[in-house]
Amino acid sequence: MSTQRGSKITSIMERLGFHVKGNIQDLVAFLMLVPKRKYFLRRLSVQNIEEPYINILSDKLHPVIQNLKIAEIINETKTTRTYRLMADKAKGTQALAYFRAGQYISIKERINDHAVSRPYSIASSPQDALDGFYDITIKRLEGGFLTTHIWETWKAGYPVSASGPYGLMYHEPLRDSGTVVGLAGGSGITPFRSMVREMAAGKLNIKLKLIYGCSDGQDIIFFDELNKYAREMPDRFRIVYVFSGCLPRKDCPDPIEEGFITADIINRHSDPSKDSYFICGPAVMYDFVAGELEKLSIPRKRIRMEAYGEIKNPTLFKDYPYEAQGKTFTIKVHDGKDTITIPALASESVLVALERGKLSPPSVCRSGECQFCRTRLISGKIWVSPKNDGRRQADKLFGYMHPCASFPVSDLELALPLNTGRSCNKYSDTRSTPG
Ligand SMILES: Cc1cc2nc3c(=O)[nH]c(=O)nc-3n(C[C@H](O)[C@H](O)[C@H](O)COP(=O)(O)OP(=O)(O)OC[C@H]3O[C@@H](n4cnc5c(N)ncnc54)[C@H](O)[C@@H]3O)c2cc1C
């Protein structure tokens, strides 16, 4: 063995009268380096080097794509359905990615050759994911592009492609108070349902006070289930229904309130001096509730809002350049190998224009937050919604944009990140039609 040879050389030299120590010992060790290395190389296994465990764990927690299929469809209200999704093992997804209650997944779907994505909060708990399912609860939108398609085509067994879990609206004990006040509106109840289920499973150790704005008494999502949890965990979970624009529901347990979720109501049902506030609902609700929290002088660090969502009408913003209103521009797109030119309505985000043009850049949050659609703007002018401007300063300086939060106000030229390996095409290409 080479190490033995090293010590042999040392002992021979010592027998010859050389006192081997210090530098000479180092020199001998140095001379033995190459034979030692050769010895170990000869003994190396011919097997491939194993994937490091950290990479395996990372792939499990943050998969690029999850191949799922619909296990069950539950009609919640007249406009809302829950789709229970499970891993499609035959398509390579062995288990659902674990997540934190409050996060969302991005659904990737192909509609008549248009690849689109939409984020949906996971309405079931992380414990449910370990037990084999995710729930997404979807409200059908009048004229909605994906929701109309979902209503018409999704049935049990239908294959669904989704991203891994994303989002920041989850309870983090190092950051948030032990009491969370959930301010929910309409389908914004979904991340809170995930939290309540996780609490009931004994996995999330918080107190949750839910203030739930409802505009239609007969269209309250998870009404029975939430009331059941409130009865079962009276010390940890309380729910206050706030009826706006409709009469309070007769079978609604106390306490109830009427009107919008105002500072008064928030003050009555929480402790603004120490609670954390999580907001999830339609865009108008974010703006209103944020103003009400400001009246209560709640510091920004105790407020978390779900991603704002895509801006549907940019002209409602004061700084929107009115000269662009009603116009159609062109976008010249370089995707690495091809260059194509597509039309773009001023009223729609650049991301929607790309999707209408049958391109499918990667996208997850559609709120300017996650950076997946980050693209280089070669030339032209865009308007970026102040609500969704998640660009870094350096990106602004060097001409990068988030197509989901940007609207064209002139003709544009873009270099798409289609070769990043996160392309929506990739999600869709792995799909097949339902059996
Ligand atoms: C973090 C987050 C979580 C969410 N969670 C939930 C949830 O739990 N439940 C829920 O119900 N909703 C949720 N949403 C909202 C959801 O993502 C969708 O916005 C909502 O379901 C409406 O989708 P839609 O496609 O039906 O409607 P829209 O997005 O309004 O679709 C209509 C729009 O589609 C575009 N369009 C039309 N034709 C085309 C075409 N050919 N190609 C491409 N685009 C076209 C146009 O811009 C049109 O305005 C969440 C949103 C966010 C940001």
Side-chain angles (χ1 to χ4, degrees):
M1 240 166 92
S2 53
T3 40
Q4 284 165 346
R5 264 170 67 193
S7 47
K8 250 187 211 160
I9 291 175
T10 311
S11 68
I12 290 169
M13 288 176 80
E14 286 196 328
R15 261 187 272 141
L16 290 173
F18 295 105
H19 190 44
V20 182
K21 65 170 188 182
N23 290 348
I24 295 187
Q25 211 162 22
D26 287 348
L27 182 67
V28 173
F30 178 74
L31 287 173
M32 293 315 298
L33 266 184
V34 172
K36 226 175 178 178
R37 195 171 63 210
K38 280 188 179 156
Y39 167 78
F40 283 119
L41 280 174
R42 270 198 308 276
R43 288 188 46 165
L44 269 185
S45 160
V46 287
Q47 304 286 328
N48 285 340
I49 295 173
E50 267 181 34
E51 178 88 25
Y53 290 128
I54 194 72
N55 290 6
I56 297 170
L57 179 65
S58 163
D59 284 347
K60 283 187 174 165
L61 288 175
H62 309 288
V64 175
I65 177 188
Q66 300 194 79
N67 291 305
L68 314 173
K69 62 182 176 193
I70 299 175
E72 196 184 342
I73 302 174
I74 303 152
N75 287 315
E76 299 288 355
T77 69
K78 54 184 193 264
T79 59
T80 314
R81 285 181 187 162
T82 291
Y83 294 89
R84 185 154 287 184
L85 307 170
M86 55 190 273
D88 193 341
K89 293 189 177 160
K91 292 228 183 91
T93 298
Q94 297 307 316
L96 300 173
Y98 195 62
F99 67 102
R100 296 177 81 166
Q103 290 191 300
Y104 62 84
I105 48 175
S106 171
I107 297 295
K108 321 285 172 188
E109 183 66 324
R110 193 170 277 282
I111 308 173
N112 304 328
D113 260 2
H114 299 257
V116 295
S117 71
R118 296 283 185 271
Y120 290 99
S121 298
I122 306 173
S124 49
S125 66
Q127 178 58 48
D128 292 330
L130 294 178
D131 293 340
F133 69 91
Y134 285 157
D135 281 346
I136 52 171
T137 300
I138 303 182
K139 191 172 177 67
R140 184 178 188 170
L141 216 77
E142 201 60 49
F145 189 54
L146 180 60
T147 50
T148 305
H149 167 84
I150 286 176
W151 247 250
E152 284 164 7
T153 54
W154 282 20
K155 55 184 181 188
Y158 191 90
V160 175
S161 294
S163 70
Y166 290 94
L168 303 169
M169 207 194 68
Y170 53 79
H171 183 261
E172 169 51 63
L174 291 175
R175 178 190 68 192
D176 304 311
S177 157
T179 302
V180 171
V181 181
L183 303 171
S187 61
I189 191 66
T190 46
F192 299 112
R193 192 240 195 179
S194 173
M195 290 177 201
V196 181
R197 286 177 74 91
E198 190 71 344
M199 288 164 64
K203 295 287 183 74
L204 180 61
N205 189 18
I206 59 168
K207 285 187 177 170
L208 179 61
K209 301 172 188 169
L210 197 52
I211 302 180
Y212 184 7
C214 315
S215 57
D216 179 347
Q218 298 317 308
D219 208 24
I220 304 176
I221 312 168
F222 305 133
F223 184 71
D224 293 334
E225 187 180 348
L226 293 173
N227 295 341
K228 176 180 84 89
Y229 286 129
R231 285 192 303 274
E232 287 173 3
M233 303 185 282
D235 300 333
R236 298 179 59 215
F237 175 54
R238 254 192 34 210
I239 180 157
V240 182
Y241 293 93
V242 184
F243 293 91
S244 66
C246 68
L247 291 171
R249 197 167 149 157
K250 288 208 174 65
D251 56 348
C252 193
D254 278 342
I256 54 168
E257 297 278 2
E258 286 182 64
F260 292 123
I261 301 177
T262 57
D264 264 0
I265 292 178
I266 296 169
N267 200 21
R268 242 194 317 280
H269 299 285
S270 68
D271 183 349
S273 70
K274 56 176 201 272
D275 294 348
S276 281
Y277 293 80
F278 288 11
I279 313 172
C280 188
V284 280
M285 182 189 149
Y286 287 126
D287 298 338
F288 180 80
V289 169
E292 297 303 298
L293 291 177
E294 223 174 283
K295 288 183 196 165
L296 295 168
S297 307
I298 294 163
R300 187 63 190 84
K301 66 175 181 191
R302 280 199 278 115
I303 302 173
R304 308 210 70 77
M305 289 196 195
E306 184 47 285
Y308 196 82
E310 213 164 326
I311 304 291
K312 295 285 155 51
N313 186 357
T315 61
L316 294 178
F317 289 80
K318 274 197 205 108
D319 65 340
Y320 180 77
Y322 275 87
E323 62 278 11
Q325 200 176 341
K327 290 193 177 153
T328 302
F329 299 106
T330 59
I331 309 183
K332 192 191 260 189
V333 189
H334 306 281
D335 81 346
K337 45 186 198 316
D338 300 320
T339 298
I340 65 159
T341 303
I342 54 167
L345 299 176
S347 57
E348 289 185 340
S349 71
V350 173
L351 181 60
V352 172
L354 295 170
E355 288 170 344
R356 279 189 189 276
K358 301 192 178 172
L359 291 162
S360 48
S363 67
V364 173
C365 72
R366 301 188 80 98
S367 308
E369 189 177 279
C370 73
Q371 311 227 6
F372 268 76
C373 65
R374 181 175 172 271
T375 293
R376 192 155 65 84
L377 174 64
I378 299 169
S379 68
K381 261 183 79 183
I382 50 168
W383 174 81
V384 181
S385 144
K387 299 283 177 197
N388 280 349
D389 193 354
R391 290 173 299 170
R392 289 175 297 192
Q393 284 305 323
D395 277 357
K396 287 185 195 174
L397 214 66
F398 292 103
Y400 283 88
M401 61 184 281
H402 297 163
C404 67
S406 310
F407 292 77
V409 292
S410 77
D411 292 340
L412 306 178
E413 189 173 355
L414 310 178
L416 273 196
L418 278 188
N419 295 326
T420 58
R422 296 189 297 195
S423 160
C424 194
N425 279 325
K426 197 171 165 196
Y427 298 120
S428 305
D429 285 347
T430 59
R431 300 238 347 252
S432 64
T433 43

